[in-house]
Amino acid sequence: MKKKLVFILNLFILNLIFAKSLQNNEVYVKGSNINMKHYIQFCDETKSIKNLYVQKYEVTRKEFEEYLDYFGYNKLKKYSKDGGLFTYNNMMPYSDCAAVLITFYDACKYCNWRSMQEGYEPAYEIQGELSFEINYFQWKQENGEWSYYIPKMPEIRLNEKANGYRLPTINEYFYLLLGGQEGIDNKWWELIDITEFEDSERHSIKKVGSYKPNPLGLYDILSNASEWLWHENLLYAREDSINYSKNAIGITITKDNKANFNLKKYFNEKKKLSLVSPLERWFIGMRMVRNAE
């Protein structure tokens, strides 16, 4: 009986340590009934932001490489798009820099994988598999004729009640970006010094946490790497409206907008978000959230 109690106590302590290690990399963000479309034109009319646990940092190269190793996707480490600066190691020079070269499919699959590793219910129902490729857009020869090949992405559905990791919705992303309800109320984002949060050097990704955090304690939310969102952009969708068109959001700093930078104004003056193909590997990374309810 005594041994059993000691075992249970040790297990309880281990669980506390594990939970603490997770919480150290997460920020609890209280939700709101705010209508984000009143603040950012790209948001929708949904008037509910859930309570969330949000990763302080973007997923790092080291973390993403654990996923690559697990599934045997190591050929990505030899990636080179244009040669020169745009190679795997040049784009991500450090193990603790933000991971890029992540497709939308990889992002959803990574969320599920991390959820299962840590005992959470996976948030995405992925119907089928997509064979891993470094470049999904290729010329292929079939029956003696060349054709430009674009594979069809498996259908991915979000289980909104799951407690596992997922990508933020477009409303959640901008809610987090603006600092949550308190940040919006205080308008902290008016006339900030953007160089404290981000710069315009795009040939490589910085170590996570290199810049000042926003009021929620989220680092690089103003985009070290551009970040994938869970969002159906029907305006640009083609035959597969669920998965064809997804958004990755980042900020481009120029000498014209560097001084007296207004975060809210910046996005409301943009004609569209940085729309990318869900199979594109470029400067695209991810940040995970999970439901706190």
Side-chain angles (χ1 to χ4, degrees):
M1 182 68 178
K2 185 177 180 181
K3 289 183 177 179
K4 187 176 181 180
L5 287 173
V6 171
F7 173 78
I8 292 173
L9 180 60
N10 287 336
L11 186 63
F12 176 72
I13 292 172
L14 285 173
N15 284 335
L16 282 179
I17 294 172
F18 180 68
K20 190 175 189 308
S21 68
L22 286 179
Q23 291 169 0
N24 285 341
N25 194 36
E26 289 181 325
V27 171
Y28 172 77
V29 177
K30 184 174 176 57
S32 174
N33 291 324
I34 192 171
N35 185 342
M36 286 303 300
K37 195 170 182 63
H38 289 170
Y39 296 90
I40 302 291
Q41 63 173 325
F42 300 111
C43 293
D44 59 46
E45 294 284 355
T46 304
K47 298 177 182 178
S48 177
I49 303 291
K50 294 181 178 180
N51 298 330
L52 297 171
Y53 292 117
V54 184
Q55 296 285 292
K56 286 183 182 179
Y57 309 103
E58 295 166 320
V59 170
T60 65
R61 173 182 136 176
K62 179 182 178 182
E63 290 171 328
F64 191 63
E65 283 181 343
E66 292 172 357
Y67 163 86
L68 296 177
D69 293 341
Y70 184 89
F71 289 103
Y73 297 158
N74 291 312
K75 59 185 176 181
L76 183 61
K77 297 176 184 178
K78 298 179 181 179
Y79 177 92
S80 176
K81 186 167 182 127
D82 300 318
L85 293 171
F86 301 114
T87 64
Y88 185 90
N89 289 316
N90 283 343
M91 294 170 75
M92 298 180 286
Y94 312 105
S95 63
D96 55 352
C97 68
V100 292
L101 300 175
I102 302 177
T103 67
F104 180 78
Y105 177 80
D106 284 331
C108 293
K109 189 172 180 178
Y110 178 85
C111 286
N112 278 2
W113 177 70
R114 277 284 299 271
S115 295
M116 290 186 289
Q117 295 288 316
E118 298 178 16
Y120 299 120
E121 180 184 4
Y124 294 115
E125 300 170 4
I126 303 176
Q127 305 296 318
E129 288 286 331
L130 186 68
S131 297
F132 186 86
E133 296 285 349
I134 292 179
N135 183 5
Y136 282 99
F137 307 99
Q138 306 172 33
W139 285 96
K140 290 193 175 183
Q141 191 174 31
E142 296 180 358
N143 300 322
E145 294 185 1
W146 287 95
S147 61
Y148 193 58
Y149 175 71
I150 302 176
K152 183 174 176 61
M153 173 151 345
E155 184 175 356
I156 303 174
R157 296 177 180 175
L158 172 63
N159 178 357
E160 296 182 359
K161 296 182 180 180
N163 66 351
Y165 293 113
R166 60 179 177 82
L167 302 174
T169 66
I170 194 166
N171 282 20
E172 288 170 344
Y173 176 84
F174 279 111
Y175 181 74
L176 299 173
L177 183 73
L178 296 182
Q181 185 66 65
E182 184 175 349
I184 292 172
D185 291 342
N186 295 335
K187 299 182 179 181
W188 76 275
W189 28 261
E190 289 188 349
L191 305 182
I192 61 175
D193 181 356
I194 191 61
T195 60
E196 294 183 334
F197 301 90
E198 176 59 303
D199 66 27
S200 57
E201 184 181 338
R202 303 302 295 163
H203 295 314
S204 63
I205 299 300
K206 299 291 191 297
K207 293 181 180 181
V208 296
S210 293
Y211 299 102
K212 186 176 177 179
N214 80 346
L216 291 174
L218 300 177
Y219 291 83
D220 310 314
I221 189 72
L222 303 189
S223 193
N224 184 355
S226 294
E227 298 181 14
W228 281 113
L229 304 182
W230 177 261
H231 177 61
E232 296 177 29
N233 192 328
L234 300 180
L235 177 63
Y236 297 95
R238 300 184 186 177
E239 59 185 32
D240 183 0
S241 62
I242 295 177
N243 295 304
Y244 190 91
S245 180
K246 294 293 177 182
N247 284 304
I249 291 187
I251 291 178
T252 302
I253 309 302
T254 68
K255 62 181 180 180
D256 296 325
N257 66 18
K258 194 171 185 178
N260 297 325
F261 184 89
N262 185 308
L263 186 61
K264 177 172 172 284
K265 183 179 179 182
Y266 171 83
F267 278 106
N268 282 317
E269 287 182 346
K270 288 174 71 72
K271 294 182 179 179
K272 65 178 182 178
L273 297 179
S274 302
L275 191 70
V276 292
S277 163
L279 295 176
E280 183 75 23
R281 294 193 186 279
W282 201 223
F283 283 101
I284 308 172
M286 59 183 291
R287 180 190 308 271
M288 300 185 298
V289 304
R290 58 189 181 92
N291 298 336
E293 287 92 299

